[in-house]
Amino acid sequence: MTTTSESRTARTAGEVLAWSRGMVDPALRSAVDTLPGSMRLIAGHHFGWWDERGDPTDVAAGGKAIRPALALLAAEAVGAEPSVAVPAAAGIELVHSFSLLHDDVMDGDRTRRHRPTTWAAFGVGAAILGGDALLTLAFDVLAGSEHPAATESMRRLSAAVQDLVDGQSADIAFETRADVDLPECLTMAERKTGTLLGCACELGARFAGRPDHAGRLRVFGERLGLAFQLVDDLLGIWGDPKVTGKPIHSDLRHRKKSLPVVAALTSDTPAGHSLAALYHRDAPLSDDELMDAAELIELAGGRVWCRRKADELLADALCQLWSIAPVERPARELETLARLVTDRDH
């Protein structure tokens, strides 16, 4: 008999993300309502529900919510109703939000999604505490679901958080090192970004009662996450601030050893050597020097290498997805999302 998932026409990425947000937002709001008032204000501001004073806002500032969509679609792709994975999707989004609050503090970024970052609006201490609150809330949501997969899922999510923290730690350490190589930079990106996307897919399968498919769906998410980071790193250099919500050349200003930068620095090309001389200076880079650095990265092949690597990872991710013989319609929507997040450098 044809299931509902099989009989519906695959939706566009925009439709999927709007559907996912509609599924998960009530669970997020319910969870945030359990926080102390000070933390509730910070969380709601981060999700775009209200401004710094707590007044409701119509600004859609909560982001695309790719990770919750992956969890819901992963559950549906292995034959379950997506609603069973809402606690997993909400938990993943809370962990992601925790990382964003802390990341903005560490990077000194004052703008995210065209709004003041949490630390810029409330202060550094408040942003750190707000991130801590969201992290603990993620595990409370999973535990409170009382789902048979909750305990194992909390263990898997905890491991993903440890990887994320390790990756973020390496990212910061790389800023003051001149000898970062490409393999360790890829490992950093895998842990910082790939692990949580992989966990989103894995938890979707576990909450669907299909742990036998959790492994390959996790690999699908991990490969996609690394491709996502490659493209995000390109946007950190060449992205339009009107689209990204962040200042142009923001990663270069912070001397980030992002993937295109490290690919260029290790290219053993004249442009790569010139970039190293510029990038490793003690003095801050002027706007003109930031433009020069971006041009040198492109001349050294960093931009092309990242795009090619992202395409390879996407192809590998999709092979993992289709290898489990998933329900076709949600699998096609997973593929649509995968192509969306790896095609943003325009």
Side-chain angles (χ1 to χ4, degrees), residues 1-39:
M1 184 171 67
T2 301
T3 67
T4 302
S5 292
E6 290 171 324
S7 60
R8 286 208 303 263
T9 302
R11 297 164 291 188
T12 66
E15 290 169 338
V16 168
L17 292 172
W19 161 79
S20 171
R21 179 61 80 187
M23 291 275 288
V24 177
D25 259 11
L28 288 173
R29 288 178 180 269
S30 179
V32 167
D33 280 344
T34 68
L35 293 173
S38 58
M39 296 298 100

Side-chain angles (χ1 to χ4, degrees), residues 271-284:
H273 297 316
S274 296
L275 175 67
L278 180 64
Y279 216 63
H280 296 145
R281 281 176 22 191
D282 292 333

Side-chain angles (χ1 to χ4, degrees), residues 5 8-17 19-20 65-80 82 85 89 92 196-206 208 213-214 216-225 227-228 313-343:
S5 292
R8 286 208 303 263
T9 302
R11 297 164 291 188
T12 66
E15 290 169 338
V16 168
L17 292 172
W19 161 79
S20 171
I66 294 289
R67 292 156 187 82
L70 292 176
L72 297 177
L73 288 176
E76 202 171 5
V78 296
I92 288 287
L196 193 58
L197 268 73
C199 189
C201 297
E202 177 181 2
L203 264 55
R206 290 188 179 279
H213 289 324
R216 292 205 175 190
L217 283 171
R218 182 184 67 248
V219 175
F220 159 73
E222 289 171 346
R223 298 288 188 273
L224 175 59
F228 178 98
L313 287 161
L314 173 61
D316 188 15
L318 295 177
C319 284
Q320 295 292 330
L321 170 63
W322 290 104
S323 71
I324 65 168
V327 177
E328 183 172 353
R329 198 270 304 161
R332 292 201 177 280
E333 292 176 352
L334 280 169
E335 180 169 344
T336 296
L337 286 186
R339 295 190 183 282
L340 171 72
V341 302
T342 55
D343 187 29

Side-chain angles (χ1 to χ4, degrees), residues 11 15 60 114 153 165 195 203-204 246 282 287 300:
R11 297 164 291 188
E15 290 169 338
H114 313 287
S153 294
V165 170
T195 298
L203 264 55
K246 300 181 75 171
D282 292 333
D287 288 344

